[in-house]
């Protein structure tokens, strides 16, 4: 583990070893970590706009096309806990670099893919690489930057990249797809090469951890999380009562229960129960899960609304989300400044209030709404609120963790965000579809009966009117539930998150544990 301390950062003496981070390079270290995080996060959305082109060029069937996204999600979400523990045991910088290398190589293969099999295999390996890199990226911030102002500022930038990455992915996806969809993958090559090269020279390495790898825990966690994520993804495209959905969800829950039992009995658990069992961390994880579930509605339904009802092109749709990226970056910096003066629950609680208001604003959308008046104000309010939420909770989720558990604690946070987004898509899609169908039936029943048959043009116009009205109604109900989710997260934050801002100014790491 790094021996860098706050005093050494301020007053360096002598030669720096491979286990020290030169103070003048802290900015470069942050750049390396955040560039990697941005690359991993935006890859979850950058491909979405390119899917129709991938389908045509590689001959994907409609049924298999969804796997371009799903297989990445499964590999990433399923392996996160293992990726975090590998970093704790065998070196966080080492696992981070290996993850980036895997991700970069897989991006090249995806970019030159000639068929379905080649593309899906590359996407799976991308997910594995991301699962190795993401939890260790956050852990590297906690071990590289001294507690207090430096770490708060670094966490602010990191949280901004994490929050804005999805929106940036939509912008880049629209721009790159207009050139060639393969550039959605090739864009990762220069970033990955630079990050891997600089990481070896800039980032602090940790000592190898004590203990051995918990193989039974790794197997049950990967299988359980993958099954749960697939079940939730399947529910989003079918229904909660679908036999496949129920089967995978049941298997996932059973395996995760078995995982918890295993973790309480082995000497060196993959996920020590002391990590989620701590009140501060448990609250942070839960709020990240529920806020992530609500936030996903904004990207999913708003992306469809902007393209199908406002009629924006893919590139213009991506640019429509630019204020979201700007808002969350600004708010993250405000939060990182306030965190040394205000307790995190008040910052995150206020952020949840803003985010709830922004999500509620989307419930008023109609087919006649405009971007400037109907969308932009609420996008800005939502983004500002989320930025205030993410920074304090990212800090509290890893505060007080024993150094040998830093990566796996970060992995739990990443897992909660991943599962939360998938859970949100499944839940809110069900609400959307049910309300859409009921609205279609209601509007259809109100159509005049009898009289002369409508012309082809009149029939098409009527069908489009019903489709647009039904979509906005269904989406508004989903946005309402999303707003309630975020509001609940805010209440939980205010009630249960009791850590003081003075505590975040210290390392607060728990004593080392042997198991």
């Amino acid at each position: 583990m790094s021996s860098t301390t706050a005093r050494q950062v301020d007053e360096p003496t002598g030669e720096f070893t491979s286990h020290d981070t030169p103070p003048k390079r802290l900015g470069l270290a942050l750049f390396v970590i955040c560039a990697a995080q941005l690359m991993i996060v935006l890859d979850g959305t950058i491909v979405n706009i390119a899917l129709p082109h991938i389908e045509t060029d590689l001959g994907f069937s409609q049924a298999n096309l969804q796997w371009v996204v799903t297989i990445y999600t499964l590999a990433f979400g399923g392996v996160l806990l293992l990726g975090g523990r590998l970093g704790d045991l065998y070196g966080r910088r080492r696992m981070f670099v290996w993850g980036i290398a895997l991700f970069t190589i897989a991006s090249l293969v995806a970019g030159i893919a000639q068929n379905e099999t080649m593309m899906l295999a590359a996407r799976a390996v991308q997910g594995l690489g991301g699962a190795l890199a993401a939890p260790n990226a956050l852990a590297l911030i906690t071990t590289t930057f001294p507690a207090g102002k430096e770490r708060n500022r670094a966490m602010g930038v990191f949280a901004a990249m994490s929050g804005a990455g999805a929106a940036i992915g939509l912008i880049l996806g629209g721009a790159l797809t207009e050139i060639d969809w393969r550039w959605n993958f090739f864009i990762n090559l220069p970033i990955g090469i630079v990050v891997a090269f600089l990481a070896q020279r800039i980032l602090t390495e940790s000592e190898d951890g004590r203990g051995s790898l918990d193989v039974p825990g790794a197997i049950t966690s990967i299988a359980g999380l993958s099954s749960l994520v697939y079940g939730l993804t399947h529910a989003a495209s079918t229904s909660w009562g679908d036999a496949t959905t129920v089967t995978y969800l049941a298997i996932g829950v059973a395996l995760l229960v078995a995982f918890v039992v295993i973790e309480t009995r082995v000497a060196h658990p993959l996920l020590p129960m002391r990590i989620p069992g701590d009140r501060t961390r448990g609250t942070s994880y839960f709020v990240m899960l529920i806020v992530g579930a609500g936030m996903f509605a904004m990207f999913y339904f708003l992306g469809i609304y902007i393209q199908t009802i406002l009629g924006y092109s893919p590139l213009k749709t991506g640019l429509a989300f630019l204020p979201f990226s700007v808002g969350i970056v600004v708010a993250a910096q405000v939060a990182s400044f306030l965190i040394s003066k205000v307790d995190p629950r008040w910052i995150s609680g206020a952020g949840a209030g803003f985010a709830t208001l922004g999500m509620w604003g989307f419930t008023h959308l109609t087919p006649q709404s405009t971007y400037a008046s109907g969308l932009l104000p609420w996008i800005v309010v939502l983004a500002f609120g989320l930025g205030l939420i993410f920074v304090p909770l990212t800090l509290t989720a890893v505060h007080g963790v024993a150094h040998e558990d830093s990566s796996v604690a970060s992995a739990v946070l990443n897992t909660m965000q991943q599962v939360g987004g998938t859970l949100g898509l499944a839940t809110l899609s069900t609400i959307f579809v049910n309300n859409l169908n009921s609205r279609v039936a209601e509007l259809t029943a109100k159509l005049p009966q009898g009289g002369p048959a409508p012309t082809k043009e009149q029939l098409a116009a009527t069908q489009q009117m019903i489709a647009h009205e039904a979509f906005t109604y269904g989406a508004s109900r989903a946005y309402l539930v999303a707003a309630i989710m975020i509001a609940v997260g805010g209440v939980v934050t205010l009630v249960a998150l009791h850590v003081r801002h003075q505590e975040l100014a210290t390392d607060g790491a728990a004593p080392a544990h042997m198991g």
Side-chain angles (χ1 to χ4, degrees):
M1 187 193 337
S2 170
S3 59
T4 307
T5 66
R7 187 171 183 272
Q8 286 172 320
V9 168
D10 291 331
E11 299 176 12
T13 58
E15 294 292 325
F16 283 97
T17 70
S18 61
H19 296 283
D20 296 315
T21 300
K24 292 182 179 179
R25 294 188 175 183
L26 283 179
L28 191 54
L30 182 60
F31 167 80
V32 170
I33 295 170
C34 290
Q37 179 68 4
L38 179 62
M39 181 174 68
I40 293 166
V41 172
L42 67 81
D43 216 73
T45 55
I46 194 172
V47 177
N48 287 339
I49 294 177
L51 286 178
H53 302 272
I54 294 174
E55 178 183 15
T56 301
D57 287 359
L58 300 187
F60 266 85
S61 65
Q62 188 60 46
N64 288 342
L65 186 62
Q66 65 170 330
W67 279 99
V68 176
V69 175
T70 302
I71 200 166
Y72 176 85
T73 303
L74 288 177
F76 183 66
V79 185
L80 272 168
L81 284 179
L82 177 60
R85 180 47 84 192
L86 288 174
D88 289 331
L89 289 176
Y90 305 117
R92 298 181 187 105
R93 185 183 68 183
R94 183 180 297 119
M95 291 301 120
F96 175 80
V97 172
W98 283 9
I100 293 300
L102 267 180
F103 192 93
T104 304
I105 293 169
S107 296
L108 173 62
V109 175
I112 62 175
Q114 300 300 307
N115 51 54
E116 285 188 19
T117 302
M118 194 173 177
M119 171 60 74
L120 294 179
R123 288 289 284 167
V125 176
Q126 270 191 314
L128 293 175
L132 282 178
N136 289 296
L138 180 54
L140 282 166
I141 286 184
T142 64
T143 56
T144 300
F145 292 83
K149 186 171 73 171
E150 291 288 349
R151 187 179 298 171
N152 294 345
R153 184 181 298 125
M155 284 293 190
V157 177
F158 183 86
M161 293 302 98
S162 299
I168 294 172
L170 292 173
I171 298 169
L172 272 178
L176 295 174
T177 298
E178 293 199 359
I179 301 171
D180 189 322
W181 65 264
R182 296 181 185 275
W183 278 101
N184 286 283
F185 300 105
F186 291 150
I187 190 67
N188 293 328
L189 301 184
I191 300 174
I193 291 170
V194 170
V195 166
F197 176 81
L198 291 178
Q200 291 278 31
R201 289 154 179 79
I202 301 299
L203 298 182
T204 303
E205 181 58 287
S206 58
E207 295 176 357
D208 291 350
R210 299 181 180 91
S212 58
L213 183 62
D214 170 20
V215 176
I219 293 172
T220 50
S221 71
I222 291 173
L225 285 170
S226 297
S227 183
L228 184 66
V229 169
Y230 180 73
L232 292 171
T233 303
H234 196 267
S237 58
T238 55
S239 70
W240 288 97
D242 179 82
T244 301
T245 298
V246 173
T247 299
Y248 276 94
L249 289 178
I251 291 173
V253 170
L255 286 170
L256 290 177
V257 170
F259 169 70
V260 172
V261 172
I262 290 170
E263 298 309 277
T264 60
R265 298 184 178 184
V266 297
H268 304 288
L270 184 74
L271 174 61
M273 289 297 107
R274 60 181 176 267
I275 294 176
D278 175 82
R279 177 173 178 169
T280 296
R281 289 191 291 275
T283 299
S284 302
Y285 294 149
F286 173 78
V287 174
M288 277 295 201
L289 178 129
I290 196 168
V291 170
M295 184 186 74
F296 203 89
M298 192 274 291
F299 289 109
Y300 182 70
F301 296 111
L302 216 56
I304 297 174
Y305 177 89
I306 291 172
Q307 290 189 80
T308 61
I309 296 180
L310 295 186
Y312 283 20
S313 68
L315 177 57
K316 194 174 179 182
T317 298
L319 292 174
F321 285 101
L322 184 59
F324 178 86
S325 299
V326 174
I328 206 166
V329 168
V330 171
Q333 298 313 301
V334 171
S336 66
F337 171 77
L338 291 176
I339 198 67
S340 61
K341 301 174 177 60
V342 181
D343 289 350
R345 65 170 170 164
W346 301 118
I347 301 173
S348 285
F354 280 112
T356 300
L357 176 62
M359 196 68 79
W360 174 81
F362 294 136
T363 65
H364 297 85
L365 287 175
T366 70
Q368 293 74 42
S369 298
T370 64
Y371 176 79
S373 62
L375 290 180
L376 182 59
W378 305 119
I379 288 175
V380 172
V381 171
L382 176 64
F384 188 78
L386 291 174
L388 294 181
I389 293 173
F390 288 151
V391 174
L393 291 184
T394 302
L395 279 164
T396 57
V398 296
H399 177 70
V401 176
H403 287 299
E404 77 271 17
D405 293 333
S406 294
S407 290
V408 76
S410 303
V412 177
L413 179 64
N414 278 276
T415 301
M416 290 300 100
Q417 292 171 321
Q418 184 72 23
V419 172
T422 309
L423 175 64
L425 176 60
T427 303
L428 299 171
S429 291
T430 301
I431 293 168
F432 163 75
V433 169
N434 289 340
N435 282 278
L436 180 146
N437 290 337
S438 65
R439 188 64 170 166
V440 167
E442 179 185 342
L443 293 174
T444 302
K446 290 181 178 179
L447 291 176
Q449 304 296 317
T455 65
K456 187 176 180 180
E457 290 75 16
Q458 289 173 328
L459 183 60
T462 300
Q463 290 174 335
Q464 184 183 65
M465 181 273 293
I466 291 176
H468 286 183
E469 287 283 350
F471 176 88
T472 52
Y473 179 78
S476 71
R477 299 305 90 188
Y479 283 129
L480 180 60
V481 175
I484 294 171
M485 286 179 175
I486 296 174
V488 169
V491 171
V492 171
T493 299
L494 292 172
V495 171
L497 194 66
H498 289 166
V499 65
R500 305 296 299 274
H501 68 275
Q502 293 93 339
E503 297 175 56
L504 296 181
T506 65
D507 231 357
H513 294 267
M514 293 302 293

